[in-house]
Short mmCIF file of all heavy atoms in Angstrom, two decimals:
data_model
loop_
_atom_site.label_atom_id
_atom_site.label_comp_id
_atom_site.label_asym_id
_atom_site.label_seq_id
_atom_site.Cartn_x
_atom_site.Cartn_y
_atom_site.Cartn_z
N HIS A 57 102.20 -42.73 158.28
CA HIS A 57 103.42 -42.00 157.96
C HIS A 57 103.86 -41.19 159.17
O HIS A 57 103.04 -40.78 159.98
CB HIS A 57 103.19 -41.02 156.80
CG HIS A 57 102.76 -41.67 155.54
ND1 HIS A 57 103.64 -42.12 154.59
CD2 HIS A 57 101.53 -41.96 155.07
CE1 HIS A 57 102.98 -42.65 153.59
NE2 HIS A 57 101.69 -42.57 153.85
N PHE A 58 105.14 -40.95 159.27
CA PHE A 58 105.68 -40.01 160.24
C PHE A 58 106.65 -39.10 159.50
O PHE A 58 107.52 -39.58 158.76
CB PHE A 58 106.42 -40.71 161.39
CG PHE A 58 107.01 -39.72 162.35
CD1 PHE A 58 106.24 -39.17 163.36
CD2 PHE A 58 108.32 -39.30 162.21
CE1 PHE A 58 106.77 -38.23 164.22
CE2 PHE A 58 108.86 -38.36 163.08
CZ PHE A 58 108.08 -37.83 164.08
N ASP A 59 106.51 -37.79 159.69
CA ASP A 59 107.41 -36.81 159.10
C ASP A 59 107.91 -35.85 160.17
O ASP A 59 107.14 -35.42 161.03
CB ASP A 59 106.70 -35.93 158.05
CG ASP A 59 106.41 -36.65 156.76
OD1 ASP A 59 106.97 -37.74 156.52
OD2 ASP A 59 105.62 -36.11 155.96
N TRP A 60 109.19 -35.51 160.09
CA TRP A 60 109.70 -34.37 160.84
C TRP A 60 109.28 -33.14 160.04
O TRP A 60 109.53 -33.06 158.84
CB TRP A 60 111.21 -34.42 160.97
CG TRP A 60 111.71 -35.54 161.82
CD1 TRP A 60 112.42 -36.62 161.41
CD2 TRP A 60 111.52 -35.69 163.22
NE1 TRP A 60 112.70 -37.43 162.47
CE2 TRP A 60 112.16 -36.89 163.60
CE3 TRP A 60 110.88 -34.94 164.21
CZ2 TRP A 60 112.17 -37.35 164.92
CZ3 TRP A 60 110.90 -35.40 165.52
CH2 TRP A 60 111.53 -36.58 165.86
N LEU A 61 108.61 -32.20 160.68
CA LEU A 61 108.15 -31.00 159.98
C LEU A 61 109.31 -30.11 159.54
O LEU A 61 109.13 -29.22 158.72
CB LEU A 61 107.18 -30.20 160.86
CG LEU A 61 105.90 -30.95 161.26
CD1 LEU A 61 105.05 -30.09 162.18
CD2 LEU A 61 105.11 -31.37 160.04
N THR A 62 110.49 -30.37 160.05
CA THR A 62 111.67 -29.59 159.69
C THR A 62 112.27 -30.02 158.35
O THR A 62 113.11 -29.32 157.80
CB THR A 62 112.75 -29.72 160.78
OG1 THR A 62 113.03 -31.11 160.97
CG2 THR A 62 112.27 -29.11 162.09
N ASP A 63 111.85 -31.19 157.85
CA ASP A 63 112.45 -31.76 156.64
C ASP A 63 111.65 -31.44 155.38
O ASP A 63 110.51 -30.97 155.45
CB ASP A 63 112.56 -33.28 156.79
CG ASP A 63 113.54 -33.70 157.88
OD1 ASP A 63 114.36 -32.86 158.29
OD2 ASP A 63 113.47 -34.86 158.32
N GLN A 64 112.24 -31.75 154.24
CA GLN A 64 111.54 -31.67 152.96
C GLN A 64 110.55 -32.81 152.91
O GLN A 64 110.78 -33.85 153.52
CB GLN A 64 112.54 -31.77 151.80
CG GLN A 64 113.52 -30.64 151.74
CD GLN A 64 112.87 -29.32 151.44
OE1 GLN A 64 111.82 -29.26 150.79
NE2 GLN A 64 113.44 -28.25 151.92
N PRO A 65 109.43 -32.73 152.26
CA PRO A 65 108.99 -31.68 151.36
C PRO A 65 108.14 -30.60 152.02
O PRO A 65 107.42 -29.88 151.36
CB PRO A 65 108.16 -32.45 150.33
CG PRO A 65 107.51 -33.52 151.15
CD PRO A 65 108.54 -33.90 152.19
N TRP A 66 108.20 -30.48 153.35
CA TRP A 66 107.40 -29.47 154.04
C TRP A 66 107.92 -28.08 153.70
O TRP A 66 109.09 -27.79 153.86
CB TRP A 66 107.46 -29.68 155.55
CG TRP A 66 106.70 -30.90 155.99
CD1 TRP A 66 107.20 -32.17 156.13
CD2 TRP A 66 105.32 -30.98 156.31
NE1 TRP A 66 106.21 -33.01 156.52
CE2 TRP A 66 105.04 -32.32 156.64
CE3 TRP A 66 104.28 -30.05 156.34
CZ2 TRP A 66 103.77 -32.75 157.01
CZ3 TRP A 66 103.03 -30.49 156.72
CH2 TRP A 66 102.78 -31.82 157.04
N GLU A 67 107.00 -27.22 153.24
CA GLU A 67 107.32 -25.80 153.02
C GLU A 67 107.04 -25.08 154.32
O GLU A 67 106.06 -25.37 155.01
CB GLU A 67 106.45 -25.23 151.90
CG GLU A 67 106.66 -25.90 150.57
CD GLU A 67 105.64 -25.44 149.53
OE1 GLU A 67 105.00 -24.39 149.73
OE2 GLU A 67 105.50 -26.16 148.54
N LYS A 68 107.90 -24.12 154.66
CA LYS A 68 107.78 -23.43 155.94
C LYS A 68 107.83 -21.92 155.77
O LYS A 68 108.56 -21.42 154.91
CB LYS A 68 108.90 -23.88 156.89
CG LYS A 68 108.84 -25.35 157.23
CD LYS A 68 110.13 -25.92 157.72
CE LYS A 68 111.14 -26.23 156.69
NZ LYS A 68 110.99 -27.36 155.85
N LYS A 69 107.04 -21.24 156.58
CA LYS A 69 107.06 -19.78 156.64
C LYS A 69 106.86 -19.41 158.10
O LYS A 69 106.13 -20.09 158.82
CB LYS A 69 105.93 -19.20 155.77
CG LYS A 69 105.90 -17.68 155.72
CD LYS A 69 104.83 -17.18 154.78
CE LYS A 69 103.52 -17.09 155.52
NZ LYS A 69 102.47 -16.39 154.78
N GLN A 70 107.49 -18.33 158.53
CA GLN A 70 107.44 -17.97 159.94
C GLN A 70 107.26 -16.48 160.11
O GLN A 70 107.77 -15.70 159.30
CB GLN A 70 108.74 -18.44 160.60
CG GLN A 70 108.70 -18.52 162.09
CD GLN A 70 109.95 -19.18 162.62
OE1 GLN A 70 111.04 -18.66 162.40
NE2 GLN A 70 109.81 -20.30 163.30
N GLU A 71 106.55 -16.09 161.18
CA GLU A 71 106.34 -14.68 161.46
C GLU A 71 106.05 -14.47 162.94
O GLU A 71 105.63 -15.38 163.63
CB GLU A 71 105.16 -14.14 160.64
CG GLU A 71 103.82 -14.73 161.04
CD GLU A 71 102.66 -14.27 160.19
OE1 GLU A 71 102.90 -13.71 159.11
OE2 GLU A 71 101.52 -14.49 160.60
N TYR A 72 106.35 -13.26 163.40
CA TYR A 72 105.86 -12.82 164.71
C TYR A 72 104.44 -12.31 164.51
O TYR A 72 104.14 -11.66 163.51
CB TYR A 72 106.71 -11.67 165.25
CG TYR A 72 108.00 -12.08 165.91
CD1 TYR A 72 109.21 -11.84 165.27
CD2 TYR A 72 108.02 -12.65 167.16
CE1 TYR A 72 110.42 -12.18 165.87
CE2 TYR A 72 109.22 -13.00 167.77
CZ TYR A 72 110.41 -12.77 167.12
OH TYR A 72 111.59 -13.11 167.72
N ILE A 73 103.57 -12.56 165.49
CA ILE A 73 102.27 -11.89 165.50
C ILE A 73 102.58 -10.43 165.80
O ILE A 73 103.35 -10.13 166.72
CB ILE A 73 101.34 -12.51 166.55
CG1 ILE A 73 101.01 -13.96 166.16
CG2 ILE A 73 100.07 -11.68 166.71
CD1 ILE A 73 100.19 -14.70 167.18
N PRO A 74 102.03 -9.48 165.03
CA PRO A 74 102.39 -8.06 165.21
C PRO A 74 102.26 -7.59 166.67
O PRO A 74 101.32 -7.95 167.37
CB PRO A 74 101.39 -7.33 164.31
CG PRO A 74 101.06 -8.33 163.25
CD PRO A 74 101.07 -9.67 163.94
N ASP A 75 103.25 -6.82 167.09
CA ASP A 75 103.30 -6.20 168.42
C ASP A 75 103.36 -7.21 169.56
O ASP A 75 102.92 -6.91 170.68
CB ASP A 75 102.12 -5.24 168.62
CG ASP A 75 102.11 -4.12 167.58
OD1 ASP A 75 103.20 -3.62 167.26
OD2 ASP A 75 101.03 -3.79 167.09
N THR A 76 103.87 -8.42 169.30
CA THR A 76 104.03 -9.43 170.35
C THR A 76 105.38 -10.11 170.16
O THR A 76 106.07 -9.88 169.17
CB THR A 76 102.93 -10.51 170.28
OG1 THR A 76 103.18 -11.35 169.15
CG2 THR A 76 101.54 -9.91 170.20
N ASN A 77 105.72 -10.98 171.10
CA ASN A 77 106.85 -11.86 170.88
C ASN A 77 106.35 -13.31 170.71
O ASN A 77 107.02 -14.26 171.07
CB ASN A 77 107.90 -11.74 171.99
CG ASN A 77 107.42 -12.25 173.32
OD1 ASN A 77 106.24 -12.52 173.52
ND2 ASN A 77 108.33 -12.40 174.26
N ILE A 78 105.17 -13.44 170.15
CA ILE A 78 104.58 -14.74 169.82
C ILE A 78 104.94 -15.07 168.38
O ILE A 78 104.79 -14.25 167.48
CB ILE A 78 103.05 -14.72 170.01
CG1 ILE A 78 102.71 -14.39 171.47
CG2 ILE A 78 102.43 -16.04 169.58
CD1 ILE A 78 101.24 -14.12 171.71
N VAL A 79 105.42 -16.30 168.16
CA VAL A 79 105.90 -16.71 166.85
C VAL A 79 104.97 -17.77 166.27
O VAL A 79 104.56 -18.70 166.98
CB VAL A 79 107.33 -17.28 166.94
CG1 VAL A 79 107.79 -17.85 165.61
CG2 VAL A 79 108.28 -16.22 167.42
#
Side-chain angles (χ1 to χ4, degrees):
H57 300 270
F58 178 83
D59 286 346
W60 293 112
L61 299 177
T62 55
D63 294 343
Q64 296 294 332
W66 289 91
E67 298 172 17
K68 297 160 281 286
K69 182 176 86 169
Q70 197 172 61
E71 67 184 15
Y72 279 107
I73 295 175
D75 301 320
T76 73
N77 68 348
I78 299 171
V79 174

